[in-house]
PDB file of all heavy atoms in Angstrom:
ATOM      1  N   PHE B   3      57.403  78.081  67.690  1.00 63.00           N
ATOM      2  CA  PHE B   3      58.435  78.994  68.180  1.00 63.00           C
ATOM      3  C   PHE B   3      58.097  79.477  69.592  1.00 63.00           C
ATOM      4  O   PHE B   3      58.961  79.525  70.460  1.00 63.00           O
ATOM      5  CB  PHE B   3      58.551  80.162  67.205  1.00 63.00           C
ATOM      6  CG  PHE B   3      59.601  81.153  67.630  1.00 63.00           C
ATOM      7  CD1 PHE B   3      60.947  80.821  67.588  1.00 63.00           C
ATOM      8  CD2 PHE B   3      59.234  82.409  68.088  1.00 63.00           C
ATOM      9  CE1 PHE B   3      61.900  81.720  67.987  1.00 63.00           C
ATOM     10  CE2 PHE B   3      60.189  83.306  68.494  1.00 63.00           C
ATOM     11  CZ  PHE B   3      61.532  82.972  68.445  1.00 63.00           C
ATOM     12  N   TYR B  27      81.347  78.819  92.705  1.00 90.00           N
ATOM     13  CA  TYR B  27      82.718  79.231  92.965  1.00 90.00           C
ATOM     14  C   TYR B  27      82.669  80.600  93.648  1.00 90.00           C
ATOM     15  O   TYR B  27      81.932  81.484  93.223  1.00 90.00           O
ATOM     16  CB  TYR B  27      83.506  79.336  91.651  1.00 90.00           C
ATOM     17  CG  TYR B  27      84.897  79.892  91.855  1.00 90.00           C
ATOM     18  CD1 TYR B  27      85.902  79.101  92.393  1.00 90.00           C
ATOM     19  CD2 TYR B  27      85.188  81.221  91.540  1.00 90.00           C
ATOM     20  CE1 TYR B  27      87.166  79.616  92.612  1.00 90.00           C
ATOM     21  CE2 TYR B  27      86.452  81.740  91.763  1.00 90.00           C
ATOM     22  CZ  TYR B  27      87.437  80.926  92.289  1.00 90.00           C
ATOM     23  OH  TYR B  27      88.688  81.439  92.519  1.00 90.00           O
ATOM     24  N   GLN B  28      83.406  80.734  94.721  1.00 92.00           N
ATOM     25  CA  GLN B  28      83.428  82.009  95.446  1.00 92.00           C
ATOM     26  C   GLN B  28      84.866  82.525  95.521  1.00 92.00           C
ATOM     27  O   GLN B  28      85.789  81.734  95.691  1.00 92.00           O
ATOM     28  CB  GLN B  28      82.926  81.853  96.895  1.00 92.00           C
ATOM     29  CG  GLN B  28      81.593  81.181  97.057  1.00 92.00           C
ATOM     30  CD  GLN B  28      81.737  79.705  97.331  1.00 92.00           C
ATOM     31  OE1 GLN B  28      82.638  79.271  98.032  1.00 92.00           O
ATOM     32  NE2 GLN B  28      80.847  78.909  96.772  1.00 92.00           N
ATOM     33  N   PHE B  29      85.002  83.826  95.415  1.00 94.00           N
ATOM     34  CA  PHE B  29      86.307  84.443  95.672  1.00 94.00           C
ATOM     35  C   PHE B  29      86.077  85.729  96.463  1.00 94.00           C
ATOM     36  O   PHE B  29      85.295  86.588  96.051  1.00 94.00           O
ATOM     37  CB  PHE B  29      87.059  84.764  94.386  1.00 94.00           C
ATOM     38  CG  PHE B  29      88.425  85.338  94.661  1.00 94.00           C
ATOM     39  CD1 PHE B  29      89.466  84.501  95.039  1.00 94.00           C
ATOM     40  CD2 PHE B  29      88.653  86.699  94.598  1.00 94.00           C
ATOM     41  CE1 PHE B  29      90.722  85.018  95.338  1.00 94.00           C
ATOM     42  CE2 PHE B  29      89.905  87.229  94.902  1.00 94.00           C
ATOM     43  CZ  PHE B  29      90.941  86.376  95.261  1.00 94.00           C
ATOM     44  N   ARG B  31      88.135  88.813  98.575  1.00 95.00           N
ATOM     45  CA  ARG B  31      89.421  89.469  98.857  1.00 95.00           C
ATOM     46  C   ARG B  31      89.230  90.349 100.088  1.00 95.00           C
ATOM     47  O   ARG B  31      88.237  91.075 100.186  1.00 95.00           O
ATOM     48  CB  ARG B  31      89.794  90.321  97.660  1.00 95.00           C
ATOM     49  CG  ARG B  31      90.993  91.229  97.806  1.00 95.00           C
ATOM     50  CD  ARG B  31      91.141  92.011  96.509  1.00 95.00           C
ATOM     51  NE  ARG B  31      92.162  93.005  96.542  1.00 95.00           N
ATOM     52  CZ  ARG B  31      91.963  94.291  96.824  1.00 95.00           C
ATOM     53  NH1 ARG B  31      90.754  94.721  97.119  1.00 95.00           N
ATOM     54  NH2 ARG B  31      92.955  95.145  96.799  1.00 95.00           N
ATOM     55  N   LEU B  33      91.323  93.168 102.421  1.00 96.00           N
ATOM     56  CA  LEU B  33      92.517  94.007 102.485  1.00 96.00           C
ATOM     57  C   LEU B  33      92.495  94.813 103.766  1.00 96.00           C
ATOM     58  O   LEU B  33      91.457  95.392 104.122  1.00 96.00           O
ATOM     59  CB  LEU B  33      92.539  94.958 101.282  1.00 96.00           C
ATOM     60  CG  LEU B  33      93.670  95.974 101.240  1.00 96.00           C
ATOM     61  CD1 LEU B  33      95.014  95.282 101.034  1.00 96.00           C
ATOM     62  CD2 LEU B  33      93.440  96.982 100.121  1.00 96.00           C
ATOM     63  N   ARG B  34      93.616  94.827 104.461  1.00 96.00           N
ATOM     64  CA  ARG B  34      93.706  95.592 105.701  1.00 96.00           C
ATOM     65  C   ARG B  34      94.982  96.431 105.655  1.00 96.00           C
ATOM     66  O   ARG B  34      96.080  95.889 105.585  1.00 96.00           O
ATOM     67  CB  ARG B  34      93.740  94.632 106.882  1.00 96.00           C
ATOM     68  CG  ARG B  34      93.199  95.229 108.160  1.00 96.00           C
ATOM     69  CD  ARG B  34      93.269  94.256 109.302  1.00 96.00           C
ATOM     70  NE  ARG B  34      92.462  93.075 109.109  1.00 96.00           N
ATOM     71  CZ  ARG B  34      92.637  91.941 109.788  1.00 96.00           C
ATOM     72  NH1 ARG B  34      93.603  91.835 110.655  1.00 96.00           N
ATOM     73  NH2 ARG B  34      91.851  90.918 109.579  1.00 96.00           N
ATOM     74  N   GLY B  35      94.802  97.735 105.664  1.00 96.00           N
ATOM     75  CA  GLY B  35      95.963  98.627 105.686  1.00 96.00           C
ATOM     76  C   GLY B  35      96.306  99.180 104.320  1.00 96.00           C
ATOM     77  O   GLY B  35      95.834  98.695 103.300  1.00 96.00           O
ATOM     78  N   ALA B  61     102.018 106.757 111.767  1.00 97.00           N
ATOM     79  CA  ALA B  61     101.882 105.925 112.963  1.00 97.00           C
ATOM     80  C   ALA B  61     102.028 104.455 112.592  1.00 97.00           C
ATOM     81  O   ALA B  61     101.452 104.012 111.595  1.00 97.00           O
ATOM     82  CB  ALA B  61     100.525 106.161 113.597  1.00 97.00           C
ATOM     83  N   PRO B  62     102.782 103.702 113.389  1.00 97.00           N
ATOM     84  CA  PRO B  62     102.935 102.269 113.066  1.00 97.00           C
ATOM     85  C   PRO B  62     101.663 101.482 113.380  1.00 97.00           C
ATOM     86  O   PRO B  62     100.851 101.899 114.199  1.00 97.00           O
ATOM     87  CB  PRO B  62     104.086 101.837 113.983  1.00 97.00           C
ATOM     88  CG  PRO B  62     104.026 102.777 115.134  1.00 97.00           C
ATOM     89  CD  PRO B  62     103.531 104.076 114.593  1.00 97.00           C
ATOM     90  N   ASP B  63     101.513 100.340 112.715  1.00 97.00           N
ATOM     91  CA  ASP B  63     100.356  99.479 112.980  1.00 97.00           C
ATOM     92  C   ASP B  63     100.515  98.730 114.299  1.00 97.00           C
ATOM     93  O   ASP B  63      99.539  98.374 114.940  1.00 97.00           O
ATOM     94  CB  ASP B  63     100.187  98.462 111.841  1.00 97.00           C
ATOM     95  CG  ASP B  63      99.897  99.156 110.531  1.00 97.00           C
ATOM     96  OD1 ASP B  63      98.753  99.538 110.321  1.00 97.00           O
ATOM     97  OD2 ASP B  63     100.835  99.352 109.738  1.00 97.00           O
ATOM     98  N   ASP B  72     113.105  98.879 120.629  1.00 96.00           N
ATOM     99  CA  ASP B  72     111.701  99.078 120.271  1.00 96.00           C
ATOM    100  C   ASP B  72     111.494  98.694 118.815  1.00 96.00           C
ATOM    101  O   ASP B  72     112.274  99.092 117.943  1.00 96.00           O
ATOM    102  CB  ASP B  72     111.298 100.547 120.485  1.00 96.00           C
ATOM    103  CG  ASP B  72     111.414 100.935 121.943  1.00 96.00           C
ATOM    104  OD1 ASP B  72     111.125 100.075 122.805  1.00 96.00           O
ATOM    105  OD2 ASP B  72     111.815 102.080 122.238  1.00 96.00           O
TER     106      ASP B  72
ATOM    107  N   THR X  25      65.703  82.225  67.470  1.00 80.00           N
ATOM    108  CA  THR X  25      65.512  81.368  68.647  1.00 80.00           C
ATOM    109  C   THR X  25      66.758  81.404  69.530  1.00 80.00           C
ATOM    110  O   THR X  25      66.671  81.559  70.743  1.00 80.00           O
ATOM    111  CB  THR X  25      65.237  79.905  68.213  1.00 80.00           C
ATOM    112  OG1 THR X  25      64.147  79.900  67.318  1.00 80.00           O
ATOM    113  CG2 THR X  25      64.944  79.020  69.414  1.00 80.00           C
ATOM    114  N   SER X  86     111.044 100.406 125.570  1.00 94.00           N
ATOM    115  CA  SER X  86     112.317 100.267 126.283  1.00 94.00           C
ATOM    116  C   SER X  86     112.655 101.499 127.108  1.00 94.00           C
ATOM    117  O   SER X  86     113.321 101.399 128.126  1.00 94.00           O
ATOM    118  CB  SER X  86     113.442  99.988 125.279  1.00 94.00           C
ATOM    119  OG  SER X  86     113.586 101.102 124.411  1.00 94.00           O
ATOM    120  N   LEU X 107      76.443  80.997  89.382  1.00 80.00           N
ATOM    121  CA  LEU X 107      77.421  80.024  89.832  1.00 80.00           C
ATOM    122  C   LEU X 107      78.646  80.671  90.476  1.00 80.00           C
ATOM    123  O   LEU X 107      79.472  79.989  91.053  1.00 80.00           O
ATOM    124  CB  LEU X 107      77.904  79.174  88.639  1.00 80.00           C
ATOM    125  CG  LEU X 107      76.808  78.466  87.856  1.00 80.00           C
ATOM    126  CD1 LEU X 107      77.410  77.722  86.674  1.00 80.00           C
ATOM    127  CD2 LEU X 107      76.055  77.504  88.737  1.00 80.00           C
ATOM    128  N   SER X 109      80.374  83.824  92.852  1.00 91.00           N
ATOM    129  CA  SER X 109      80.158  84.937  93.785  1.00 91.00           C
ATOM    130  C   SER X 109      81.512  85.558  94.114  1.00 91.00           C
ATOM    131  O   SER X 109      82.519  84.858  94.269  1.00 91.00           O
ATOM    132  CB  SER X 109      79.428  84.478  95.046  1.00 91.00           C
ATOM    133  OG  SER X 109      80.107  83.429  95.649  1.00 91.00           O
ATOM    134  N   PHE X 110      81.517  86.874  94.192  1.00 94.00           N
ATOM    135  CA  PHE X 110      82.740  87.618  94.443  1.00 94.00           C
ATOM    136  C   PHE X 110      82.514  88.590  95.591  1.00 94.00           C
ATOM    137  O   PHE X 110      81.434  89.178  95.710  1.00 94.00           O
ATOM    138  CB  PHE X 110      83.165  88.405  93.207  1.00 94.00           C
ATOM    139  CG  PHE X 110      83.461  87.542  92.024  1.00 94.00           C
ATOM    140  CD1 PHE X 110      82.579  87.468  90.961  1.00 94.00           C
ATOM    141  CD2 PHE X 110      84.611  86.775  91.982  1.00 94.00           C
ATOM    142  CE1 PHE X 110      82.843  86.649  89.881  1.00 94.00           C
ATOM    143  CE2 PHE X 110      84.889  85.962  90.904  1.00 94.00           C
ATOM    144  CZ  PHE X 110      84.004  85.894  89.850  1.00 94.00           C
ATOM    145  N   GLY X 111      83.520  88.756  96.406  1.00 96.00           N
ATOM    146  CA  GLY X 111      83.407  89.687  97.515  1.00 96.00           C
ATOM    147  C   GLY X 111      84.693  90.470  97.696  1.00 96.00           C
ATOM    148  O   GLY X 111      85.782  89.996  97.340  1.00 96.00           O
ATOM    149  N   ASN X 112      84.550  91.640  98.217  1.00 96.00           N
ATOM    150  CA  ASN X 112      85.707  92.479  98.517  1.00 96.00           C
ATOM    151  C   ASN X 112      85.451  93.173  99.849  1.00 96.00           C
ATOM    152  O   ASN X 112      84.363  93.706 100.074  1.00 96.00           O
ATOM    153  CB  ASN X 112      85.905  93.516  97.415  1.00 96.00           C
ATOM    154  CG  ASN X 112      87.198  94.280  97.604  1.00 96.00           C
ATOM    155  OD1 ASN X 112      88.267  93.719  97.504  1.00 96.00           O
ATOM    156  ND2 ASN X 112      87.089  95.559  97.886  1.00 96.00           N
ATOM    157  N   TYR X 113      86.435  93.119 100.740  1.00 96.00           N
ATOM    158  CA  TYR X 113      86.261  93.712 102.062  1.00 96.00           C
ATOM    159  C   TYR X 113      87.536  94.460 102.406  1.00 96.00           C
ATOM    160  O   TYR X 113      88.612  93.864 102.455  1.00 96.00           O
ATOM    161  CB  TYR X 113      85.996  92.595 103.073  1.00 96.00           C
ATOM    162  CG  TYR X 113      85.467  93.068 104.386  1.00 96.00           C
ATOM    163  CD1 TYR X 113      84.132  93.422 104.538  1.00 96.00           C
ATOM    164  CD2 TYR X 113      86.298  93.164 105.492  1.00 96.00           C
ATOM    165  CE1 TYR X 113      83.645  93.856 105.753  1.00 96.00           C
ATOM    166  CE2 TYR X 113      85.814  93.604 106.714  1.00 96.00           C
ATOM    167  CZ  TYR X 113      84.490  93.931 106.837  1.00 96.00           C
ATOM    168  OH  TYR X 113      83.997  94.370 108.037  1.00 96.00           O
ATOM    169  N   THR X 115      89.537  97.273 104.908  1.00 97.00           N
ATOM    170  CA  THR X 115      89.567  97.983 106.191  1.00 97.00           C
ATOM    171  C   THR X 115      90.760  98.931 106.211  1.00 97.00           C
ATOM    172  O   THR X 115      91.878  98.525 105.894  1.00 97.00           O
ATOM    173  CB  THR X 115      89.703  96.995 107.370  1.00 97.00           C
ATOM    174  OG1 THR X 115      88.656  96.036 107.289  1.00 97.00           O
ATOM    175  CG2 THR X 115      89.625  97.716 108.711  1.00 97.00           C
ATOM    176  N   GLN X 116      90.490 100.174 106.548  1.00 97.00           N
ATOM    177  CA  GLN X 116      91.576 101.154 106.682  1.00 97.00           C
ATOM    178  C   GLN X 116      91.458 101.848 108.042  1.00 97.00           C
ATOM    179  O   GLN X 116      90.376 101.886 108.629  1.00 97.00           O
ATOM    180  CB  GLN X 116      91.515 102.194 105.550  1.00 97.00           C
ATOM    181  CG  GLN X 116      91.701 101.612 104.156  1.00 97.00           C
ATOM    182  CD  GLN X 116      93.086 101.014 103.907  1.00 97.00           C
ATOM    183  OE1 GLN X 116      93.983 101.144 104.740  1.00 97.00           O
ATOM    184  NE2 GLN X 116      93.247 100.341 102.787  1.00 97.00           N
ATOM    185  N   TYR X 117      92.568 102.390 108.490  1.00 97.00           N
ATOM    186  CA  TYR X 117      92.638 102.906 109.867  1.00 97.00           C
ATOM    187  C   TYR X 117      93.067 104.371 109.935  1.00 97.00           C
ATOM    188  O   TYR X 117      93.876 104.821 109.118  1.00 97.00           O
ATOM    189  CB  TYR X 117      93.672 102.092 110.665  1.00 97.00           C
ATOM    190  CG  TYR X 117      93.335 100.633 110.797  1.00 97.00           C
ATOM    191  CD1 TYR X 117      93.729  99.724 109.819  1.00 97.00           C
ATOM    192  CD2 TYR X 117      92.617 100.158 111.889  1.00 97.00           C
ATOM    193  CE1 TYR X 117      93.415  98.390 109.927  1.00 97.00           C
ATOM    194  CE2 TYR X 117      92.302  98.819 112.003  1.00 97.00           C
ATOM    195  CZ  TYR X 117      92.707  97.940 111.020  1.00 97.00           C
ATOM    196  OH  TYR X 117      92.397  96.612 111.115  1.00 97.00           O
ATOM    197  N   ARG X 119      95.073 106.464 112.827  1.00 97.00           N
ATOM    198  CA  ARG X 119      95.831 106.078 114.020  1.00 97.00           C
ATOM    199  C   ARG X 119      96.775 107.192 114.435  1.00 97.00           C
ATOM    200  O   ARG X 119      97.423 107.813 113.587  1.00 97.00           O
ATOM    201  CB  ARG X 119      96.635 104.804 113.710  1.00 97.00           C
ATOM    202  CG  ARG X 119      97.221 104.122 114.903  1.00 97.00           C
ATOM    203  CD  ARG X 119      97.973 102.853 114.529  1.00 97.00           C
ATOM    204  NE  ARG X 119      97.109 101.765 114.123  1.00 97.00           N
ATOM    205  CZ  ARG X 119      97.118 101.205 112.907  1.00 97.00           C
ATOM    206  NH1 ARG X 119      97.945 101.632 112.001  1.00 97.00           N
ATOM    207  NH2 ARG X 119      96.304 100.222 112.607  1.00 97.00           N
ATOM    208  N   SER X 136      98.625 108.670 111.149  1.00 96.00           N
ATOM    209  CA  SER X 136      98.213 108.093 109.851  1.00 96.00           C
ATOM    210  C   SER X 136      96.693 108.217 109.769  1.00 96.00           C
ATOM    211  O   SER X 136      95.993 107.715 110.649  1.00 96.00           O
ATOM    212  CB  SER X 136      98.588 106.612 109.763  1.00 96.00           C
ATOM    213  OG  SER X 136      99.968 106.451 109.801  1.00 96.00           O
TER     214      SER X 136
END
Side-chain angles (χ1 to χ4, degrees):
Chain B
F3 180 69
Y27 174 76
Q28 308 95 37
F29 183 78
R31 172 182 174 265
L33 176 67
R34 207 181 297 161
D63 297 280
D72 297 324
Chain X
T25 306
S86 64
L107 304 177
S109 55
F110 299 106
N112 187 66
Y113 194 78
T115 305
Q116 297 295 353
Y117 298 87
R119 193 179 288 118
S136 296

